Amino acid sequence: AATAPRIPSTRLALHHFDTSYSLHLGPLWPSVRAGLLCEQKYGALLNNFAAADCVSQELELLNATDFISEASQKAQQWQRGAAVGEAARGCQEGSGEGKTVMQTEMMTQAEMPTPLCTYISSKIKCYTFPRGDITRFRPARPDSLGLLDYYLMDAASLLPVLALNVQPGDFVLDLCAAPGGKTLALLQTGFCGHLAANDVSVSRTKRLLQILHSYVPKEVRDTVSVTSYDGRDWDQVKGGTFHKVLVDVPCTTDRHSAMEEDNNIFHRRRTKERQTLPMVQLQLLMAGILAAKPGAELVYSTCSLSPLQNECVVE
């Protein structure tokens, strides 16, 4: 042990990813690998509670764009394109009813599954710089009441929040909430009748409380309950209570594992912890389901590409 070479945890992680993800993703893996290893870019989630009306214009002058509104436009274009394609196929098949492309398109749009854009709250705005532009955002500034004007986060972390599709008055549970970016995004919708933010880690929960105090006024914070229970036991606390449940579970955190030695789950001392992750994730997902009302909606998410932590847990 004293003489054996110490292999960095990041190298162990990357070797594991090369072995497993190259099989899972095939020809996509080289570009995904490059994405994991390149410098991290952040999105600026605008704080709707701050009195900072000029922030959007300031960011747009820097060539940043709201990726959520862009996604909505692209989803609508995709929907129209899919409808036109379906109409063209119908005409090529030569139905004897003489249906026009426009008639078929209207019918197909009505029958198509609800597109992504319907899940996107117009109240959430997150600005990012164009692909290849690694300009850094300035530090957030406080308004006259001391609330910061935006929160810097990985823009992809908003996707589970958007998919949750919170509606006015919903009781929402964020089962693994810390450090708090998704919790803050949920509050930005303005729809949460009550938000329960829980995380098993007391130190990470303190970070969550700091974010709430820095970005959210007191009257809104009063609608949030912050707890530090083991999420796997949540159904014993408040079972069958929530309209929407977000289960953003602990995982191998692939980018962090490939880039940072600090707190790396691929450290040899954490092998057992890493191997038991899928079981912990399953237990958290089950607790989230039991915490939901009948007919409620739940989103399960990770920041890992591993099928063992994603599809296999859900299956």
Side-chain angles (χ1 to χ4, degrees):
T3 59
R6 294 182 179 177
I7 302 174
S9 302
T10 50
R11 191 185 300 178
L12 291 173
L14 197 55
H15 174 72
H16 174 81
F17 298 156
D18 282 332
T19 303
S20 57
Y21 294 166
S22 59
L23 295 174
H24 176 53
L25 297 173
L28 289 175
W29 170 236
S31 60
V32 175
R33 187 183 196 272
L36 280 177
L37 296 175
C38 71
E39 183 175 351
Q40 185 166 9
K41 287 179 62 173
Y42 288 97
L45 173 67
L46 295 197
N47 184 13
N48 295 326
F49 303 115
D53 298 331
C54 61
V55 178
S56 295
Q57 294 90 323
E58 176 189 342
L59 295 177
E60 287 167 6
L61 287 173
L62 295 173
N63 202 30
T65 56
D66 175 20
F67 96 92
I68 296 176
S69 63
E70 283 187 341
S72 177
Q73 293 166 8
K74 289 178 180 177
Q76 290 169 348
Q77 291 169 1
W78 170 83
Q79 184 186 29
R80 287 195 295 269
V84 170
E86 184 67 25
R89 283 193 295 275
C91 290
Q92 288 170 357
E93 289 167 2
S95 72
E97 300 170 2
K99 216 178 263 182
T100 66
V101 170
M102 184 173 293
Q103 288 170 330
T104 309
E105 180 178 342
M106 290 171 63
M107 182 192 72
T108 308
Q109 283 181 328
E111 293 174 352
M112 285 183 65
T114 306
L116 173 66
C117 58
T118 62
Y119 296 106
I120 295 177
S121 168
S122 60
K123 295 188 177 184
I124 296 182
K125 293 186 180 298
C126 183
Y127 281 81
T128 57
F129 289 108
R131 184 172 183 172
D133 183 347
I134 56 172
T135 303
R136 293 185 177 273
F137 291 99
R138 63 161 173 79
R141 291 195 291 248
D143 67 359
S144 57
L145 298 176
L147 299 177
L148 299 177
D149 53 5
Y150 56 63
Y151 178 77
L152 296 181
M153 64 189 300
D154 186 333
S157 294
L158 286 176
L159 299 179
V161 174
L162 300 174
L164 199 57
N165 191 26
V166 178
Q167 298 298 304
D170 276 349
F171 276 45
V172 182
L173 169 62
D174 189 352
L175 191 60
C176 309
K182 295 181 182 68
T183 303
L184 179 61
L186 286 166
L187 291 173
Q188 297 300 314
T189 66
F191 289 160
C192 298
H194 176 74
L195 175 59
N198 177 74
D199 198 277
V200 67
S201 168
V202 174
S203 60
R204 285 164 59 87
T205 304
K206 288 180 180 177
R207 168 66 178 151
L208 168 61
L209 288 169
Q210 289 173 353
I211 288 176
L212 292 178
H213 278 83
S214 299
Y215 288 89
V216 181
K218 184 179 185 305
E219 61 271 18
V220 179
R221 291 201 306 270
D222 288 343
T223 67
V224 183
S225 60
V226 179
T227 55
S228 294
Y229 298 118
D230 186 330
R232 293 173 290 183
D233 302 326
W234 183 269
D235 63 295
Q236 300 173 23
V237 182
K238 292 180 182 178
T241 306
F242 297 92
H243 303 98
K244 300 291 167 67
V245 179
L246 176 59
V247 185
D248 185 60
V249 294
C251 63
T252 49
T253 322
D254 292 353
R255 173 186 281 277
H256 177 87
S257 295
M259 298 287 284
E260 302 288 340
E261 285 295 318
D262 183 50
N263 197 31
N264 194 312
I265 199 166
F266 280 86
H267 192 286
R268 293 190 182 280
R269 293 177 184 170
R270 301 183 69 184
T271 301
K272 183 70 174 178
E273 178 186 353
R274 189 175 75 251
Q275 290 173 341
T276 58
L277 268 177
M279 180 54 66
V280 172
Q281 292 161 344
L282 174 61
Q283 292 167 337
L284 287 166
L285 175 55
M286 291 302 299
I289 292 171
L290 293 172
K293 288 175 174 286
E297 293 179 272
L298 179 146
V299 171
Y300 171 85
S301 61
T302 76
C303 43
S304 170
L305 296 165
S306 167
L308 286 175
Q309 299 174 64
N310 290 296
E311 298 94 317
C312 292
V313 170
V314 174
E315 287 168 9

